[in-house]
Amino acid sequence: SSGINAEYGGTIHVITTPIQNKRRRSFQMGLAKVYLIVYNVVQALGWGFILFQLVNHYYIEKRGPETVWSVVGKNVQIFQYAAFLEIVHALIGIVKTPVVTTFVQVFSRLAIVFIASIAPPAAQAWPITLTLIAWSVTEIIRYSFYAFNQIQYVPYLLGWLRYTTFIVLYPAGVSGELLTIWNAKDYVNEHNLYSIEMPNSWNFEFSLYNALRFSPILYILFFPQLYLHMFAQRKKFISGGETTQENKKTN
């Protein structure tokens, strides 16, 4: 019940019944479902367009990796930065994904996009193309899977792609990311980009160059867990069992 101050200074108690509470929760869940369907569809279409741009760049226009970021970079920034919402989704509980895992996955992607945006050697070399192809194909499948999952109907082929293509795409994407970091670190060091040196009023020191140097440690710590988890999910899918945790994910 909720209290409302009356004119005479008393309190009016508005009693909500279990049925009303259930209807309100159902309405809220319905809104969340519609929002998540729209979010996943938009992301799938966005990454589909990025993949189209990549194919057009290399196979139609016959251009090289030196100019690929100038073509797709802005769209990659839009749709990858939008993925920050997935951390919010996990925080407010409209999806059943661990906040820490979601944060690590999204943050690593955002870091690569940021690096490619500030370091031309990283943006103009072939590893960024490898990364973007792996991301694009993965995200088209993943977001499509989650959109269909919201209506509780996932075509078998889409499920098979979700739990099979990662075997190649995940290592390809990670390899591209690590090589992109490698291509960026010397440029970042030479130009002293985003470094805070002591002494300063904050009594704080930071070196993006050192962060890039030691970032592979994070990949070593987290990638095997994600990769093995996907193999476990694939085993459930192939055997006809329910991939319960994965089916609950909508971001």
Side-chain angles (χ1 to χ4, degrees):
S1 62
S2 60
I4 302 177
N5 290 328
E7 185 177 352
Y8 56 82
T11 301
I12 299 174
H13 293 280
V14 179
I15 299 174
T16 55
T17 66
I19 294 177
Q20 289 174 320
N21 288 333
K22 184 177 180 181
R23 286 176 178 172
R24 185 169 62 250
R25 286 195 298 269
S26 178
F27 177 73
Q28 292 170 344
M29 291 174 63
L31 284 180
K33 184 181 289 290
V34 170
Y35 162 74
L36 290 170
I37 290 172
V38 171
Y39 172 80
N40 287 306
V41 168
V42 169
Q43 283 281 25
L45 292 174
W47 285 101
F49 181 66
I50 291 169
L51 182 61
F52 167 77
Q53 287 184 302
L54 289 168
V55 172
N56 182 69
H57 180 82
Y58 281 101
Y59 294 101
I60 306 300
E61 297 183 1
K62 305 295 184 182
R63 300 168 69 185
E66 298 81 8
T67 55
V68 70
W69 187 256
S70 64
V71 174
V72 304
K74 179 169 288 188
N75 287 327
V76 172
Q77 288 174 321
I78 290 172
F79 290 100
Q80 192 55 63
Y81 286 139
F84 180 81
L85 289 171
E86 296 172 21
I87 300 174
V88 178
H89 298 166
L91 279 170
I92 64 178
I94 63 173
V95 296
K96 304 296 183 181
T97 51
V99 176
V100 174
T101 302
T102 303
F103 176 82
V104 170
Q105 292 175 339
V106 172
F107 180 79
S108 64
R109 291 279 196 91
L110 295 180
I112 296 300
V113 172
F114 175 71
I115 290 166
S117 301
I118 66 170
Q124 297 171 359
W126 65 266
I128 194 64
T129 297
L130 175 63
T131 301
L132 294 177
I133 291 174
W135 286 4
S136 298
V137 178
T138 296
E139 299 300 54
I140 292 167
I141 296 170
R142 185 171 73 99
Y143 285 119
S144 298
F145 179 91
Y146 292 147
F148 276 103
N149 195 48
Q150 284 299 312
I151 60 174
Q152 299 181 335
Y153 173 74
V154 178
Y156 180 84
L157 177 60
L158 184 58
W160 184 87
L161 290 171
R162 169 70 178 137
Y163 295 114
T164 302
T165 56
F166 81 91
I167 297 173
V168 173
L169 293 176
Y170 277 26
V174 168
S175 298
E177 291 174 28
L178 289 171
L179 289 171
T180 297
I181 292 171
W182 177 268
N183 288 334
K185 66 181 181 64
D186 289 340
Y187 180 89
V188 169
N189 186 41
E190 291 169 5
H191 293 78
N192 199 31
L193 296 179
Y194 294 94
S195 295
I196 303 174
E197 299 178 351
M198 296 281 283
N200 57 66
S201 58
W202 297 302
N203 197 31
F204 173 78
E205 182 173 314
F206 174 77
S207 169
L208 179 58
Y209 170 67
N210 285 330
L212 295 179
R213 285 177 60 201
F214 292 107
S215 61
I217 296 174
L218 297 177
Y219 283 84
I220 294 172
L221 291 175
F222 290 102
F223 175 71
Q225 298 179 37
L226 174 63
Y227 201 48
L228 293 176
H229 168 73
M230 288 300 296
F231 271 106
Q233 295 298 105
R234 184 178 192 274
K235 184 177 180 181
K236 289 181 182 179
F237 177 81
I238 296 298
S239 64
E242 292 186 3
T243 53
T244 306
Q245 183 178 352
E246 192 68 24
N247 282 342
K248 289 180 179 179
K249 292 183 179 181
T250 46
N251 63 335

